[in-house]
Amino acid sequence: MGVGSFFDRLVEPFEGPNTIGNSRPFWIGFAVVLVGLFGYPIGFGTYAASSAALYLVYAILALSLSVVWGYTGILSFGQVAFFGVAGYSFGLISLNLSSALTTMLALPVAVILATIAAFVLGYFMFYGDVRNVYVTILTLVVTLVLNTFMAQTAGSEWTIGTVQLGGFNGIPAIPNLTFGVGGTAIALDDAAFYWFTLVVLLVVYLGLRALVNGRFGYAMVAAREDEDRTAMLGYDVRRIKLLVFGLGGAIAGLSGVLYASWGNYISPTVFGITFASIPVVWVTVGGRRSLLGAVVATVGLEWFRQQLSASGSQYAMIVVGVILLIAILFVPEGVVPRVKNVVLAARNRFQTTSDSVESTPE
């Protein structure tokens, strides 16, 4: 077996019509970018890596919305609800049972709780025949209810174990993610946290690529395009939507745990209307039907927003809103799919020109 054949077999599970980048040049470029990302802390220092880790955390959150909205047609504002549920759960568990082992175990427990929350909400929506814009409204309402509720938990009666929920002030001093037991435990911070988050993002991205290009992914896309016709073909559309919604909740929960561990803090602002809207902006600008677009747009927009905020500008969110309007008006399919179409059109034009020159008689 040649190197080329081995390479093709290696990337085959991640390629298909539902993703951008199904060629050797793409994967070579992907590998180069990945090497650059892994080397980022070495070149720019641990502080820069710690700041950049937040962009990667947000990219995971964007992927959770991309698979739910872009591939299944469910526009959800609830991703931040599952993000916050997991973040709060991780903080409460790790602070109440403060040890390296319990902090490590708090990660899967918090993700499971966020997943259960997504399944419960999704069950009542999809098996209650709630559709289209009403799903969007319902997820937004749930998020705002959580925001209001958590903001009113400032009193001492809102204490779980030894940890106060803190109302608007949130929960501080959440420990870092830790792996290992006793003296061998390793707490992830700065560059170590960056590398860990990058690996998680890579696994989630490749896993979703394999999912959407598999049989279940085709069913997801079919449900997005025409629910009734998909049901007539024998698919249980409600089950498909529930499973994808639960998966999106799990991914959002994973990003919530990473967020709480990154900042050592969680507050009701994660349930706020502003934060609930941001993932929609990321996915819209990057391309609703592109996992890669969601990641690229999230990292780019968040880096740009942070630069504006660091320079003292009070208009960071307004600028992001203007970018969203421009994207909707002029690049409705998203920036990354538009770039792909331009590249393909240029390549086809070049090949056509080359063929014409070769076929011209002397």
Side-chain angles (χ1 to χ4, degrees), residues 75-78 121 125 135-143 245:
L75 175 53
S76 168
F77 280 86
L121 177 60
M125 288 194 304
V135 171
T136 307
I137 295 171
L138 196 54
T139 54
L140 179 60
V141 168
V142 169
T143 303
F245 197 72

Side-chain angles (χ1 to χ4, degrees), residues 88-152:
Y88 267 97
S89 300
F90 176 77
L92 290 169
I93 295 170
S94 56
L95 284 172
N96 273 302
L97 306 172
S98 183
S99 72
L101 179 62
T102 53
T103 302
M104 181 174 64
L105 294 178
L107 168 63
V109 172
V111 173
I112 289 171
L113 290 175
T115 308
I116 292 173
F119 269 108
V120 171
L121 177 60
Y123 177 81
F124 284 106
M125 288 194 304
F126 304 127
Y127 283 85
D129 206 22
V130 178
R131 293 190 181 191
N132 304 324
V133 69
Y134 299 103
V135 171
T136 307
I137 295 171
L138 196 54
T139 54
L140 179 60
V141 168
V142 169
T143 303
L144 295 181
V145 166
L146 284 173
N147 175 254
T148 304
F149 173 75
M150 295 307 298
Q152 296 178 349

Side-chain angles (χ1 to χ4, degrees), residues 30 41 50 123-124 164 184 193 200 226 261 340 359:
F30 184 82
S50 179
Y123 177 81
F124 284 106
Q164 290 189 8
T184 63
F193 183 80
V200 172
D226 193 322
S261 176
K340 171 207 166 191
S359 61

Side-chain angles (χ1 to χ4, degrees), residues 38-86:
F38 273 105
Y40 184 79
I42 300 173
F44 293 89
T46 55
Y47 177 78
S50 179
S51 300
L54 183 60
Y55 308 147
L56 305 181
V57 171
Y58 285 156
I60 297 171
L61 177 61
L63 285 176
S64 79
L65 179 61
S66 179
V67 71
V68 169
W69 182 24
Y71 288 88
T72 321
I74 307 166
L75 175 53
S76 168
F77 280 86
Q79 300 315 109
V80 295
F82 312 131
F83 179 95
V85 166

Side-chain angles (χ1 to χ4, degrees), residues 15-20 22 71 212-214 218 289 340:
E15 292 189 336
N18 291 326
T19 48
I20 292 174
N22 300 306
Y71 288 88
V212 300
N213 287 314
Y218 293 148
R289 300 173 183 180
K340 171 207 166 191

